[in-house]
Amino acid sequence: MSAARAGGGVGPGTPTLGAFTGGQLRRLCAVAGLSEADADTYAQVLSDALGPVAGRPLDLPPPSRTFLSDDHTPVEYSLSFRPGSAPAVRVLVEPGCGAGSLARSGRTGLETVRAMTQRWDFATDALDALEDLFLPPEPQGTLALWCALELRPGGVPGVKVYLDPAANGAERSAQTVREALRRLGHHQAFDVLPEADGYPFLALDLGDWDAPRVKVYLRHDALSATGAGHLCRMRPGPDPASVAAFHRAAAGPKAPLLTGRPGLTCHSFTDTGSAWPSGFTLHIPVRDYAEHDGEALARATEVLRRYGIDAGVLPDALAALTSRRPEDGVGLIAYLALAHQQNHPPRITTYLSAEAYAVRPPNRAPARSAQPVH
């Protein structure tokens, strides 16, 4: 299956990474109700963030073996749903993909964020305070810097950066997170976090946010629904039974424990005067616990309806990314997430894969390598 037929829609010849993902993003913006002008702006922002690899033909291998997606596309999309509102579109990108090393990737990522600050006039004080901690001269880990954009009407996005607590060694991840929270004024925050099997990400809101967050992501191996219900540390927090119910709905009846790809939680801190987080999110990697994307779509639809959200836009969002049938692969819907934030209704977020390089075969099929899409 060619990339263009898979959803790139970029005309004759071999599409490029930038044209393929830019086309997806424009169509996804249209599904979410953003204007054509905003869609064009954000597609150009994505191309600029990808840098030179935006012009890389898709008949070449991925520019790097990025941890961002299963097929190593350095782009991921998400739709965040609240009752009674249009979904918020987000795009996650690895600006330094193809840089050749984590150190160079980190420098490229910083340059990309700095360019955004010039364009949209926002401060990077929190990132500046952590630069030496997460971007040392010889970083370790699986990523250097990812940048996420919440695509808002008017062409000015909300900006987030993701950093790797394993930058100074996986064995020092907890200490790195503790020090990062301390530097940002959250002196007691680390001590209230639940037990975890790892610390995959620390994220920062930059720019125009009502309450900028520091977000700590935790990995939980073999996570059960009951266990998930007791991981929130918000005061007050959601009913543990509702969190457990989301785990069951997203993971499905055959996965009482997430024994494959682990579950993640995210704990958001906004108030340096309180030790307790103001936000909690549970992420379920639905792609490892569904036979195919048709099943993942059915689960996402059920979850959205449980929270009073119109699920009709989600099939249109999938069609904006690819023309393949959901039953023909798994991973187009990568994660389902339930997010709670103080003074806001719960949100459901679906994380969607670009599949620029490969479509993962259904899980019911015999194990084999992912199939190229061109």
Side-chain angles (χ1 to χ4, degrees):
M1 184 189 299
S2 73
R5 286 190 290 115
V10 295
T14 302
T16 63
L17 177 61
F20 182 86
T21 55
Q24 289 179 318
L25 189 62
R26 286 185 176 91
R27 294 189 294 273
L28 199 58
C29 286
V31 167
L34 290 172
S35 71
E36 184 176 347
D38 286 342
D40 288 342
T41 294
Y42 288 133
Q44 185 60 54
V45 169
L46 174 59
S47 180
D48 292 345
L50 285 169
V53 304
R56 185 182 177 90
L58 286 183
D59 57 2
L60 296 177
S64 63
R65 295 187 63 80
T66 176
F67 178 63
L68 194 149
S69 68
D70 289 347
D71 75 326
H72 307 298
T73 306
V75 175
E76 180 190 63
Y77 312 102
S78 60
L79 288 178
S80 185
F81 297 87
R82 281 195 179 102
S85 301
V89 184
R90 299 165 180 169
V91 60
L92 177 66
V93 61
E94 184 167 11
C97 64
S101 72
L102 279 178
R104 288 194 289 272
S105 179
R107 289 195 293 270
T108 301
L110 279 177
E111 291 169 1
T112 300
V113 173
R114 306 291 186 217
M116 291 178 180
T117 68
Q118 295 298 311
R119 178 172 185 173
W120 295 309
D121 189 25
F122 61 87
T124 60
D125 295 355
L127 179 59
D128 297 342
L130 303 183
E131 181 177 339
D132 67 301
L133 188 61
F134 286 91
L135 299 168
E138 297 182 4
Q140 301 179 51
T142 56
L143 67 113
L145 186 151
W146 294 347
C147 182
L149 305 173
E150 182 174 286
L151 309 185
R152 301 167 178 170
V156 179
V159 180
K160 296 180 277 189
V161 294
Y162 289 78
L163 305 166
D164 191 348
N168 300 291
E171 74 283 357
R172 293 184 54 81
S173 293
Q175 296 95 310
T176 297
V177 170
R178 182 188 289 275
E179 173 62 13
L181 290 169
R182 185 196 67 79
R183 291 188 186 186
L184 297 175
H186 299 280
H187 297 282
Q188 298 174 301
F190 186 85
D191 292 328
V192 307
L193 292 171
E195 291 187 7
D197 297 297
Y199 300 84
F201 312 111
L202 184 137
L204 304 170
D205 288 345
L206 305 177
D208 183 17
W209 298 87
D210 291 338
R213 299 161 297 173
V214 182
K215 302 193 296 179
V216 180
Y217 288 77
L218 308 183
R219 191 187 86 234
H220 305 281
D221 299 338
L223 182 64
S224 70
T226 301
H230 294 285
L231 292 173
C232 180
R233 295 297 183 266
M234 290 173 62
R235 296 291 185 272
D239 177 9
S242 68
V243 177
F246 172 79
H247 179 293
R248 294 188 186 98
K254 297 180 181 178
L257 298 177
L258 303 186
T259 55
R261 199 185 303 261
L264 304 177
T265 58
C266 173
H267 306 263
S268 303
F269 296 89
T270 54
D271 181 4
T272 56
S274 170
W276 303 104
S278 59
F280 168 77
T281 305
L282 174 64
H283 298 262
I284 301 295
V286 63
R287 66 191 184 280
D288 273 28
Y289 302 99
E291 288 191 358
H292 51 69
D293 283 308
E295 185 175 321
L297 175 59
R299 292 186 199 166
T301 298
E302 177 189 355
V303 168
L304 288 168
R305 287 174 176 166
R306 284 188 185 184
Y307 281 85
I309 298 168
D310 181 4
V313 72
L314 190 52
D316 293 338
L318 300 189
L321 301 182
T322 181
S323 60
R324 74 163 175 85
R325 298 188 315 155
E327 294 77 15
D328 290 340
V330 67
L332 186 61
I333 302 177
Y335 278 89
L336 295 177
L338 170 64
H340 289 270
Q341 191 72 29
Q342 284 180 349
N343 304 317
H344 293 282
R347 287 183 288 109
I348 301 296
T349 302
T350 58
Y351 292 81
L352 308 176
S353 301
E355 293 187 343
Y357 293 101
V359 174
R360 178 176 162 183
N363 285 326
R364 65 174 179 267
R368 62 183 187 272
S369 60
Q371 301 300 305
V373 296
H374 12 266

